[in-house]
Amino acid sequence: MSPWIVGFTVFFGYPLVASAYLSFTHYDLLAPPRWVGLANYDFMLHKDPQLTGAVKNTLWFMAIAVPLQVLFAFGVAGMVTRAKAGVGFFRTVFYLPTLAPPVAATLGFTYILNPATGPVNSLLSALGIEGPLWFESPTWAKPSLTLLSLWGIGNTMIIFLAALLDVPRHLYESADLDGAGGWQKLRWVTLPTISPVLLFALVIGVIDALQYFTQAYVASSIVGGGAGQASDPANRLGYPEGSTMFYPLLLYQQGFRFFNMGYASAMAIVLLVVAFLFTAAIIRNSRRWVHYAAR
């Protein structure tokens, strides 16, 4: 077990302990850490003007994007399982976006959803519809990132596909004999059987949403630069009007832009605790709707 113990200690245990210690200090990466007690946490709760917006944006993404990702991945997997021919082709097509690097995928979406020259608004204009401003609009920026996240549900789709193919056929045959329709079979056969996979997808989705960073960073930096914002990408974070300032972006800005590493460490510890609480709450609640074969 020594390789695992060494890896855990170096890459998780020590950074966690160090972050917990630094969260009680004032540390700017240059001078030695100076103990300030709970000052960072007090500032976070009462004085940080950006924290409330960042928390709201993160909760919005977790409440809207994560359920849509799970539903979309499940729907795509269900359609693939029903395909009469070309199953391998469709499976590959829906999985390929997952292989695109997040930065490249975000750059592609900022081009596709460009309100002036992008193909989506050009098509809508040809149909007589005025397209939204997408990443340029505070109202549409988070929905635009949600569309990007739905495009990359390949991993979850593959997991759902394996789960759907593993549902025992005799359960559907029994449901047919009882006169069950499509909705009844979905409600009483498919969903209970794959409920552990649904729980897994939900937990992973929530944790990923709490750590959502790369796509929002790239989109706000690129679009904000095109809108004449400051030349430094770090100063464009959250564009437009703070609508894409998620909690991890604020953490990054405090730690690596403003060099408030003590405060950033406090934010990281809070994020860890919140992720643990959300995960524990979901797993505890799952006892009502997750069914295991051994039970």
Side-chain angles (χ1 to χ4, degrees):
M1 292 180 62
S2 58
W4 178 89
I5 293 174
V6 172
F8 177 85
T9 303
V10 172
F11 297 108
F12 183 81
Y14 170 74
L16 178 60
V17 173
S19 296
Y21 166 72
L22 291 175
S23 70
F24 297 102
T25 68
H26 173 75
Y27 181 44
D28 60 4
L29 296 177
L30 300 175
R34 177 170 53 85
W35 185 266
V36 294
L38 297 174
N40 289 324
Y41 295 95
D42 179 68
F43 180 81
M44 187 188 313
L45 293 176
H46 302 106
K47 302 176 183 177
D48 189 343
Q50 292 183 290
L51 183 67
T52 300
V55 170
K56 288 182 179 179
N57 290 333
T58 303
L59 292 178
W60 185 99
F61 196 82
M62 185 172 62
I64 303 299
V66 173
L68 288 177
Q69 290 172 15
V70 173
L71 290 174
F72 189 56
F74 176 75
V76 171
M79 290 189 293
V80 172
T81 58
R82 296 174 181 272
K84 301 299 183 181
V87 175
F89 170 77
F90 290 114
R91 184 170 53 204
T92 302
V93 167
F94 285 114
Y95 182 76
L96 278 177
T98 306
L99 302 179
V103 174
T106 308
L107 288 174
F109 261 70
T110 57
Y111 165 73
I112 293 172
L113 298 180
N114 186 298
T117 60
V120 171
N121 274 17
S122 297
L123 177 60
L124 292 176
S125 178
L127 297 174
I129 302 174
E130 183 179 357
L133 295 178
W134 301 111
F135 288 108
E136 300 277 0
S137 166
T139 303
W140 283 92
K142 286 190 290 292
S144 300
L145 291 172
T146 301
L147 289 177
L148 173 59
S149 70
L150 294 179
W151 180 73
I153 46 84
N155 282 332
T156 309
M157 184 273 296
I158 289 293
I159 295 173
F160 276 131
L161 180 61
L164 290 173
L165 294 175
D166 198 44
V167 177
R169 296 295 99 187
H170 67 83
L171 296 180
Y172 290 123
E173 294 170 359
S174 299
D176 288 331
L177 292 175
D178 289 337
W183 169 252
Q184 286 77 14
K185 287 189 284 187
L186 174 66
R187 172 66 180 83
W188 301 108
V189 177
T190 305
L191 292 180
T193 305
I194 70 167
S195 56
V197 179
L198 286 169
L199 173 62
F200 171 80
L202 182 60
V203 169
I204 295 300
V206 167
I207 294 174
D208 286 344
L210 289 172
Q211 302 179 60
Y212 193 70
F213 175 81
T214 303
Q215 293 86 341
Y217 178 89
V218 175
S220 60
S221 300
I222 297 300
V223 179
Q229 298 293 302
S231 58
D232 188 346
N235 291 329
R236 309 174 200 153
L237 293 184
Y239 180 85
E241 298 179 20
S243 59
T244 59
M245 178 59 78
F246 295 93
Y247 188 92
L249 265 74
L250 181 60
L251 190 158
Y252 164 83
Q253 184 184 59
Q254 289 291 339
F256 297 98
R257 174 60 184 171
F258 302 146
F259 299 109
N260 295 326
M261 189 56 68
Y263 181 56
S265 297
M267 293 184 66
I269 294 300
V270 171
L271 180 61
L272 173 65
V273 172
V274 169
F276 175 81
L277 293 177
F278 270 109
T279 303
I282 293 172
I283 293 177
R284 182 178 180 83
N285 182 263
S286 69
R287 300 173 184 175
R288 304 177 182 177
W289 54 274
V290 176
H291 306 277
Y292 296 97
R295 293 185 178 179

